[in-house]
Amino acid sequence: MDVKEIMRRNDQRLKALYSGKDPTERYERLADAFRAHFGREPELFVSAPGRTEVIGNHTDHNRGRVLAASVDLDTVAALAPRNDSVVTMYSEGYDQPFVVDLSDLAVREDEKETTFSLIRGVAARLKELGYRIGGFDASVTSAVFKGSGLSSSAALEVMLVASFDALYNGWTIDPKRNAVISQYAENVYFGKPSGLMDQMASAVGGLVTIDFGPADPAVEALSCDFGAKGYAVCVVSAGGEHGNLTADYAAIPAEMKAVAQAMGVNTLSEITSRQLMDAVPSLKNRVSDRAILRAFHFVDETERVTEAVEAIRRDDIPAFFRAVVASGESSWMLLQNLYVASSSNQEMPLALELSRRMLEGRGAWRIHGGGFAGTILAFVPFDLLDEYSARMNAVFGERATTALAIRPEGVVCIR
């Protein structure tokens, strides 16, 4: 494979995907790793972006609305098919490959919360839906760092679906279906009850608002160049560990759905804020108080997404920023996903308070992603970016602050 020739053929597309940066050296290193591991040439690359959640914290799993965007940090695989049913995937940073024989597609308890489960789960769902699967060799690298809130797991899942797709199905699977298959693998095989936002944003790409109310989620592309308006979109890695927090994440959709069921519906998307308010006396002591507070977060947050989208449409950045800040406050007070019960450290609240003191009246800040640990999101004026980064890095570590750009496409095949 002549990587430079591939880069040349896809020059304009790659510049858009990587914010003008040249990825040739990175792709060449990945191709070299493939050759070293497998002794042959890769046939193509698949790139799946991380995502940033702009507004819509924990709303997707109850069929609410979100505003999200793919970013210019991605997971990339160099690939070639095999003649058997074995997937062998080397991932940068791991000494041993992930090897899965697709002749066995049953859920395995000993693989829960591992990459093995995602490979097996994606393949199983594709086969169930009537798509072709087969073995392949892959070398993978990722700039979507773990714990960043940019959904490294979703980028991996979306990349895996697209890899089977590109190698065996003629690139026929649309982005929405890719996202649904990816979510299935994470929910059923990996064992994490996530919603669909992460996978949908990675698969579809760009700045999008998604309404999960319909059976077929409604996805609408939006246009807003924050850089042209003078703002950097930053994530700050405040620290903390996601690894043992599956139960904390799972409690959020479970408690929200408990409120919905107590009100006689399946999900909170079926009730209004007023209906919830009127139901509180009957809900008290039937569900936990925290569940009621989390339900209030859901109904407010879903409405807030609509407000933010309308602000973007009319180019009202101050109104958009007010919605972003209100989203973060709601997560802090009502959703209560900024603290880890077993830890006395409160990295995320500290990061948000520092951001408020620097950005109030000039930018915006909020929790980012699932919560409990990880990152916050901030919209920082360019003239404050150096100071903001320096102060946050001094507290949370060198390179804790990462400035992002919105990527115009979701998962892509480069060949």
Side-chain angles (χ1 to χ4, degrees):
M1 172 188 277
D2 188 337
V3 176
K4 285 188 170 63
E5 175 59 21
I6 291 175
M7 299 294 103
R8 187 194 64 76
R9 284 200 305 266
N10 294 278
D11 179 63
Q12 293 305 310
R13 188 183 202 185
L14 290 165
K15 283 181 178 177
L17 294 180
Y18 295 103
S19 306
K21 303 179 184 73
D22 184 357
T24 301
E25 183 179 347
R26 182 175 176 224
Y27 277 60
E28 286 181 331
R29 287 200 307 270
L30 189 58
D32 287 342
F34 186 97
R35 296 182 190 103
H37 291 310
F38 303 110
R40 61 187 181 123
E41 292 290 321
E43 294 188 10
L44 55 88
F45 297 100
V46 170
S47 161
R51 71 94 184 100
T52 179
E53 172 196 283
V54 182
I55 295 184
N57 198 214
H58 284 283
T59 56
D60 52 340
H61 46 61
N62 266 256
R63 304 185 77 88
R65 302 186 192 98
V66 302
L67 178 62
S70 59
V71 299
D72 60 346
L73 301 179
D74 65 344
T75 295
V76 185
L79 300 159
R82 293 171 59 119
N83 295 322
D84 57 19
S85 63
V86 175
V87 172
T88 301
M89 187 175 82
Y90 283 87
S91 185
E92 189 175 35
Y94 293 86
D95 293 333
Q96 299 299 317
F98 298 95
V99 181
V100 175
D101 188 339
L102 304 182
S103 62
D104 175 11
L105 294 178
V107 177
R108 294 176 54 167
E109 290 300 318
D110 63 326
E111 288 184 348
K112 289 290 179 74
E113 300 191 36
T114 71
T115 298
F116 299 99
S117 69
L118 295 178
I119 297 170
R120 201 180 304 274
V122 162
R125 190 58 173 162
L126 280 165
K127 187 175 182 180
E128 287 173 7
L129 293 173
Y131 292 97
R132 295 176 61 208
I133 61 171
F136 61 80
D137 292 330
S139 287
V140 178
T141 184
S142 184
V144 189
F145 45 100
K146 289 185 177 181
S148 65
L150 298 172
S151 290
S152 56
S153 60
L156 176 62
E157 294 151 12
V158 167
M159 180 275 290
L160 286 169
V161 177
S163 296
F164 284 112
D165 183 12
L167 294 171
Y168 294 108
N169 295 297
W171 201 250
T172 58
I173 300 178
D174 65 47
K176 284 186 182 180
R177 196 175 303 157
N178 181 312
V180 172
I181 292 168
S182 297
Q183 183 202 26
Y184 175 90
E186 182 158 324
N187 289 175
V188 177
Y189 280 72
F190 189 84
K192 182 178 178 181
S194 69
L196 188 57
M197 179 189 67
D198 298 349
Q199 294 86 353
M200 190 72 80
S202 179
V204 174
L207 180 65
V208 293
T209 182
I210 309 169
D211 182 356
F212 291 102
D216 182 17
V219 181
E220 180 185 352
L222 299 169
S223 179
C224 186
D225 188 341
F226 294 106
K229 296 180 184 301
Y231 298 94
V233 183
C234 297
V235 289
V236 180
S237 179
E241 175 55 51
H242 284 81
N244 299 316
L245 299 177
T246 297
D248 296 277
Y249 294 126
I252 294 176
E255 289 181 8
M256 287 186 179
K257 287 174 182 175
V259 173
Q261 290 163 8
M263 294 181 67
V265 296
N266 292 318
T267 65
L268 290 178
S269 64
E270 300 172 64
I271 66 169
T272 66
S273 178
R274 180 56 185 265
Q275 287 172 326
L276 178 59
M277 185 71 175
D278 291 344
V280 171
S282 66
L283 292 171
K284 177 68 175 172
N285 298 322
R286 293 174 61 202
V287 297
S288 70
D289 292 349
R290 187 176 71 176
I292 298 171
L293 293 171
R294 285 175 163 172
F296 274 121
H297 166 82
F298 174 90
V299 295
D300 290 351
E301 186 80 342
T302 295
E303 293 175 3
R304 196 174 290 120
V305 170
T306 301
E307 295 170 5
V309 169
E310 290 303 318
I312 287 174
R313 285 176 178 151
R314 65 176 184 268
D315 199 27
D316 188 345
I317 295 301
F320 169 73
F321 283 168
R322 287 194 294 272
V324 170
V325 173
S327 171
E329 293 293 308
S330 180
S331 293
W332 195 332
M333 293 186 293
L334 301 179
L335 189 59
Q336 300 178 36
N337 63 333
L338 269 66
Y339 308 96
V340 178
S342 60
S343 174
S344 60
N345 277 343
Q346 296 182 356
E347 299 98 341
M348 297 188 74
L350 178 59
L352 291 171
E353 179 60 16
L354 291 173
S355 297
R356 183 190 70 79
R357 290 172 180 268
M358 285 184 276
L359 300 177
E360 192 165 31
R362 296 203 57 193
W365 57 95
R366 69 183 289 274
I367 187 176
H368 186 247
F372 299 108
T375 59
I376 68 163
L377 177 72
F379 292 83
V380 183
F382 284 137
D383 64 339
L384 282 179
L385 181 58
D386 287 345
E387 179 186 353
Y388 179 83
S389 298
R391 287 184 178 275
M392 300 303 277
N393 293 350
V395 175
F396 299 107
E398 187 179 358
R399 295 189 295 276
T401 306
T402 303
L404 306 169
I406 294 174
R407 167 167 155 158
E409 288 189 82
V411 63
V412 297
C413 177
I414 305 293
R415 63 172 100 208

